[in-house]
Amino acid sequence: MARFSEKTLESGKARKRVVIEGVKPEIDGGRFPIKRTVGDRVRVEADIVTDGHDVIAAQLLYRREQDADWQAASMQPLVNDRWQGDFQVLELGRYRYALKGWVDRFRTWQRDLQKKVEAGQDVTVELLVGAGFIEEVQGRAANAARQLGKWIKILRGAGTLGDKLAAALHPDLTRLMGQYPDELFITVYDHNLTVVVDPVKAQYSTWYEMFPRSCAAVPGRHGTFKDCEARLPYIAGMGFDVLYLPPIHPIGRTNRKGKNNQPKAEPADVGSPWAIGAAEGGHKAVHPQLGTLEDFRHFVARAREVNLEVALDIAFQGSPDHPFVREHPNWFRWRPDNTVQYAENPPKKYEDIYPFDFETEDWQALWEELKGIVLFWIEQGVHIFRIDNPHTKPFRFWEWLISGIKKDYPQVFFLAEAFTRPKAMYRLAKLGFSQSYNYFAWRNTKWELTQYLTELTRTEVREYFRPNLWPNTPDILTEYLQFGGRPAFMIRLVLAATLGASYGIYGPAFELCESRPREPGSEEYLDSEKFELRHWDIQRPDSLNDFIARVNRIRRENAALQGDWNLDFYPIDNEQLICYAKFSEDGANIILMVVNLDPHHTQGGWLELPLRELGLDPGQPYQVHDLLGEARFLWHGPRNYVELDPKTAPAYIFRLRRRVRTERDFDYYL
C-alpha cells in the first residue's frame, strides 16, 4: 500500500490543483519591496495553471500593511496561462499583495453545460449537479444563503428547460458563486510581496543644488540662510521643486583643506562642508556663519511658500574636531601610531575626514545615534535627504535605518549618491533608497544612452531603482561639458530633463556654463565651491536660466515627461542624433524628442515613427509642435527630416497632435 509523506499531506496540499509561478513584479523572491508613488496602479502578472481543462479563477489580494483585512481584485487571463490584475495605492506607507487561484468547479460546470446544450444532449442530470454545487456554497455563505436558495429552487423545480438554463447561466449567479470558493482547494502564492508607496516627488522631481555659503550678495562675504531666502525666487522661477543643500554643519579646522583641495589651508580658507564637526557642534548643529537653527527652519518655511522642498545632505563621517571623536573614540578606527584612520581613496587623501567604524563593538549605539541625526532634521522640517557615499556603509545599516524612518515618516525619502558598481548601486535601491544617482553623466553617445536608459526603464530594475539624472555635480565636471561650450550644457539639460522623470543640476555653475577643470584630465572644478566661497553673477546675460525655465515648464505641463517607464527610442539615420518619445498613461499626451548630441556641428537626418503605435493614421497629416522653439510643422507619413544647429537649437521637444485635416483643425491658426 502506498504511503504519503507528511509534507504531501500537509494542509491538504495534494488537493490544490492550481500552480502559481512566474510572478511579476517580485524582487528576489519577495525579499525586497517594489516601489510606487501615491496614486499609482500596481499591475501584477503571473503564470497560473492547472492540470486538465477546468476553468481557473484567480484573485489579486492587497492591503495596507497595518490593515488586517485583504481586498480582492479579479485577475484576467491573457494568453498561454498568463494572468493579470491590478490595484491602486492611495496612501503613503507599505502595502502587501498576494495571489490566489483555484479550479472553479461551478464555472467549469457552466461551460460544459452550455456545450452539451449546443450539442443537443439531455442535461437533466447536469442541472441537478449544478444545484448540488450551489447547495455546497450555500452551506458556507450565510449572507447569501437565501439568495442562493432561490437559484436552487429553480434548478430543482418543475419549470421549463429554458427557464432552468437561463438561471444556470445567469451572470448574477456566476458572480455570487465566485465570491465563496472552497478554501480547501485554493492555492495561495507562498511569497510575501510588498510595495513601498512614496510621495509623488520620489518619482517626479526637479532638483537644484546650491552652496548656502556662496549666496551672499557681496563678493567675499560668507552667505547666510537669509541670503538663501533672497535666492529662492530665482530658483523657483526656473521651475525647480527641490532645493538641495550640501552639509550645513560646523566645519573642522584640523587638517582643513585649502582652495582647490590644497593640503594646507590659509587662515581665511573655509574648508570642505563634508568635514563635519567642530567646537560649535556636530551633525545636529548649523554652521554659525549660516545662522541659527531658527533661521534654518524659517528658510525651510519660506522655501515651501514658493513650492520648493529643501533637501539636506547627510554625510555620516566626522572631522578630527567632531565631538564624537572625543566622546565616542571607539566609533573610529585607530591606527598603531595612536592616530585615527582618515578617509582615503588612493591616491586621494582626505585628512580632514574621519570615517565611522561600522565594525565597532559599540555598533548599536552608533547606529542609533546616526538614525537620531536623521530624526533631528525631520523635526526641523526636512523630508528629503541626499545621502553621501552610502555604498561605503553597511547594507544592513541602511535597510534598518530607512525602514525605521519610513515606518513613522512615510513622507520622507532618500536619494543615494551611489557612484559605485552597478550591483552595489542596485542593492542600495532594493534596501530602501527612493532615488539614486547613476551613470548618466558619462553616457554621451546614442548607443550608450539608449542601452543604459533601456536597462533602467524596461527591465526588472525599474521596479526598485528610480534614477535621478544629473549632468553635473560639485564633484563631476565631465569632459563633454569642459569642451562642448554652451551647447553642451543645453544638450545635457534636455537629455536629463526628458529622459528622466527626476533630474537635477548643480548651480549656478551649470546655468553659467562653468567648464574650467582644476587641471587637464580632471573632473574637479577649478576654484571649486567645495573648498572656497564663490560669488556668482546669476543675472549674467549669457545664463541658461531662461532656457532651463522653459524646459522645466514643459515638464510640468506634459504628463508624458513625469514618468520613467513610458520611454521608447526610434530610429534616426545619424549617429549624432537621438530620437525618443514619452507617453502619458492615457495616451493623450505624446512628447517626441530629437537631440543633437554633437555640440559643435549642425546635424540632420531622417527619423522614422511607428505611426499606428502612436495612434496616428498613416494616411493623414499630423502636427508636431516644438515646445522649445514654438515652431509648428505639418508632417506626412512615418519618415521625416530634421536638422539641428547646436548653437541655436540643439534639440526639439515636439508635442504630437493627432488629427489635423483642415486649417481649422490646425491650432497654429487659432
Side-chain angles (χ1 to χ4, degrees):
M1 181 177 177
R3 299 180 63 86
F4 297 96
S5 68
E6 290 296 321
K7 184 177 181 181
T8 302
L9 297 174
E10 180 189 357
S11 302
K13 284 184 178 178
R15 302 171 67 188
K16 300 178 187 293
R17 295 168 51 201
V18 167
V19 174
I20 302 175
E21 57 190 6
V23 175
K24 292 185 181 301
E26 176 187 311
I27 309 303
D28 295 354
R31 165 68 175 85
F32 299 107
I34 63 170
K35 292 185 174 74
R36 296 293 186 273
T37 57
V38 174
D40 282 347
R41 301 202 72 84
V42 179
R43 180 166 292 120
V44 180
E45 291 189 5
D47 297 330
I48 304 178
V49 63
T50 189
D51 57 277
H53 304 286
D54 290 340
V55 175
I56 292 175
Q59 288 182 337
L60 174 61
L61 308 177
Y62 61 98
R63 62 177 173 84
R64 297 186 306 161
E65 188 173 57
Q66 64 268 38
D67 293 342
D69 296 330
W70 292 88
Q71 300 183 63
S74 295
M75 299 188 73
Q76 303 301 320
L78 301 174
V79 295
N80 193 25
D81 292 311
R82 192 71 176 165
W83 291 67
Q84 184 184 87
D86 63 64
F87 64 96
Q88 191 172 21
V89 289
L90 298 173
E91 298 182 34
L92 293 170
R94 294 167 77 94
Y95 281 69
R96 301 288 189 186
Y97 65 102
L99 299 88
K100 68 179 185 180
W102 64 96
V103 169
D104 192 326
R105 298 166 66 206
F106 187 73
R107 283 174 56 208
T108 301
W109 170 80
Q110 286 181 313
R111 181 198 65 191
D112 294 343
L113 174 68
Q114 195 161 12
K115 287 182 178 180
K116 291 178 180 180
V117 170
E118 291 170 355
Q121 297 179 14
D122 181 4
V123 294
T124 303
V125 175
E126 294 302 320
L127 291 170
L128 296 177
V129 171
F133 284 144
I134 300 172
E135 286 174 338
E136 286 181 25
V137 173
Q138 187 182 36
R140 58 177 178 268
N143 294 337
R146 179 175 297 181
Q147 191 174 355
L148 289 169
K150 295 178 180 178
W151 298 105
I152 295 170
K153 185 175 181 181
I154 295 173
L155 295 188
R156 292 193 182 278
T160 66
L161 177 61
D163 290 340
K164 292 182 179 183
L165 290 174
L169 302 174
H170 199 285
D172 289 346
L173 176 59
T174 306
R175 185 166 50 252
L176 190 60
M177 290 289 287
Q179 294 175 9
Y180 301 96
D182 190 340
E183 296 289 335
L184 182 63
F185 300 106
I186 294 176
T187 297
V188 178
Y189 189 58
D190 55 5
H191 287 183
N192 189 14
L193 305 176
T194 307
V195 189
V196 170
V197 184
D198 286 317
V200 172
K201 267 193 173 69
Q203 169 61 40
Y204 165 61
S205 49
T206 312
W207 292 54
Y208 186 87
E209 179 178 3
M210 157 185 101
F211 282 74
R213 68 188 187 185
S214 292
C215 286
V218 179
R221 182 171 67 80
H222 196 289
T224 66
F225 291 127
K226 294 293 184 184
D227 294 319
C228 294
E229 288 183 17
R231 188 70 63 86
L232 291 174
Y234 166 78
I235 299 166
M238 285 190 288
F240 293 96
D241 54 30
V242 177
L243 173 56
Y244 155 50
L245 306 182
I248 59 172
H249 316 297
I251 296 171
R253 294 172 177 83
T254 300
N255 297 331
R256 176 176 287 189
K257 293 299 182 75
K259 295 180 178 64
N260 290 308
N261 202 20
Q262 291 298 313
K264 184 173 177 58
E266 299 297 327
D269 285 340
V270 292
S272 166
W274 284 272
I276 297 169
E280 298 88 351
H283 285 76
K284 296 179 183 178
V286 298
H287 196 294
Q289 288 181 277
L290 290 174
T292 65
L293 269 177
E294 179 58 36
D295 293 332
F296 176 74
R297 288 191 292 265
H298 189 270
F299 166 68
V300 170
R302 288 296 302 273
R304 288 206 175 106
E305 290 175 7
V306 292
N307 298 315
L308 277 165
E309 193 77 18
V310 172
L312 198 60
D313 191 285
I314 295 289
F316 284 146
Q317 59 204 29
S319 82
D321 304 321
H322 197 295
F324 286 167
V325 178
R326 182 181 68 256
E327 298 167 1
H328 301 281
N330 57 336
W331 287 358
F332 301 89
R333 185 163 295 176
W334 291 80
R335 303 191 301 180
D337 62 355
N338 204 34
T339 62
V340 177
Q341 175 63 60
Y342 55 76
E344 56 182 332
N345 182 16
K348 295 180 180 179
K349 294 182 178 181
Y350 306 94
E351 297 93 337
D352 57 337
I353 293 173
Y354 286 174
F356 293 122
D357 180 10
F358 282 87
E359 295 180 348
T360 174
E361 293 291 332
D362 196 27
W363 65 270
Q364 290 173 298
L366 174 62
W367 285 26
E368 290 290 352
E369 177 62 31
L370 299 183
K371 180 180 177 182
I373 290 169
V374 179
L375 291 171
F376 176 84
W377 291 105
I378 292 173
E379 291 169 0
Q380 312 313 312
V382 178
H383 295 153
I384 306 175
F385 296 93
R386 180 267 200 189
I387 304 297
D388 187 69
N389 282 329
H391 52 287
T392 62
K393 287 80 180 174
F395 290 145
R396 291 186 183 276
F397 166 72
W398 291 121
E399 186 172 24
W400 170 83
L401 183 143
I402 294 174
S403 63
I405 293 290
K406 290 184 72 65
K407 181 177 180 181
D408 296 322
Y409 300 95
Q411 73 274 28
V412 170
F413 69 91
F414 299 83
L415 168 64
E417 189 246 0
F419 292 120
T420 183
R421 304 175 309 281
K423 290 183 180 178
M425 186 186 295
Y426 289 160
R427 182 75 178 190
L428 289 165
K430 291 178 181 178
L431 293 170
F433 280 94
S434 307
Q435 296 184 350
S436 182
Y437 285 40
N438 47 77
Y439 308 132
F440 165 75
W442 302 279
R443 300 296 187 260
N444 296 316
T445 68
K446 176 158 60 174
W447 185 88
E448 289 172 330
L449 288 165
T450 301
Q451 293 297 310
Y452 189 50
L453 270 297
T454 298
E455 176 185 340
L456 298 184
T457 63
R458 293 292 185 180
T459 69
E460 183 187 66
V461 168
R462 72 182 193 174
E463 298 289 353
Y464 56 84
F465 184 88
R466 295 194 190 104
N468 195 325
L469 309 184
W470 289 68
N472 77 324
T473 77
D475 298 300
I476 300 171
L477 174 63
T478 62
E479 185 178 16
Y480 187 91
L481 294 179
Q482 290 178 31
F483 296 103
R486 178 184 173 90
F489 285 82
M490 298 171 72
I491 290 166
R492 296 305 290 182
L493 181 98
V494 171
L495 289 170
T498 58
L499 285 168
S502 289
Y503 91 99
I505 61 171
Y506 152 55
F510 189 90
E511 64 264 31
L512 298 181
C513 302
E514 182 79 7
S515 61
R516 300 172 301 154
R518 192 177 65 196
E519 65 263 338
S522 170
E523 287 191 338
E524 291 281 349
Y525 283 87
L526 180 66
D527 302 330
S528 170
E529 277 189 280
K530 292 193 299 179
F531 306 104
E532 63 181 278
L533 302 181
R534 290 289 302 269
H535 182 262
W536 302 99
D537 180 6
I538 59 175
Q539 302 302 326
R540 266 172 38 187
D542 62 341
S543 172
L544 289 176
N545 57 350
D546 287 341
F547 181 77
I548 293 169
R550 190 155 66 249
V551 171
N552 286 338
R553 185 181 69 247
I554 292 169
R555 279 166 53 87
R556 286 195 310 274
E557 294 174 352
N558 290 275
L561 297 176
Q562 298 167 17
D564 284 322
W565 296 8
N566 52 353
L567 174 66
D568 280 334
F569 290 93
Y570 298 136
I572 186 167
D573 62 355
N574 183 335
E575 285 304 301
Q576 295 297 328
L577 295 175
I578 189 169
C579 177
Y580 52 96
K582 282 191 164 185
F583 313 81
S584 61
E585 189 172 352
D586 61 5
N589 185 229
I590 305 173
I591 303 297
L592 176 72
M593 276 69 62
V594 183
V595 183
N596 183 356
L597 302 177
D598 178 358
H600 304 290
H601 304 99
T602 298
Q603 299 288 343
W606 289 87
L607 60 82
E608 189 158 347
L609 302 179
L611 296 184
R612 293 196 184 278
E613 291 181 19
L614 295 170
L616 299 170
D617 184 347
Q620 296 291 332
Y622 52 98
Q623 180 195 148
V624 291
H625 173 196
D626 177 23
L627 302 177
L628 268 180
E630 291 301 330
R632 303 177 199 273
F633 306 94
L634 197 60
W635 283 3
H636 301 261
R639 282 177 56 81
N640 288 274
Y641 183 79
V642 293
E643 187 173 275
L644 288 164
D645 179 353
K647 295 179 179 61
T648 55
Y652 287 124
I653 303 179
F654 290 126
R655 179 166 182 185
L656 272 60
R657 313 279 184 176
R658 283 197 173 92
R659 294 182 353 189
V660 180
R661 291 189 294 269
T662 70
E663 61 187 37
R664 294 182 179 275
D665 297 309
F666 198 170
D667 61 16
Y668 177 84
Y669 293 98
L670 299 181

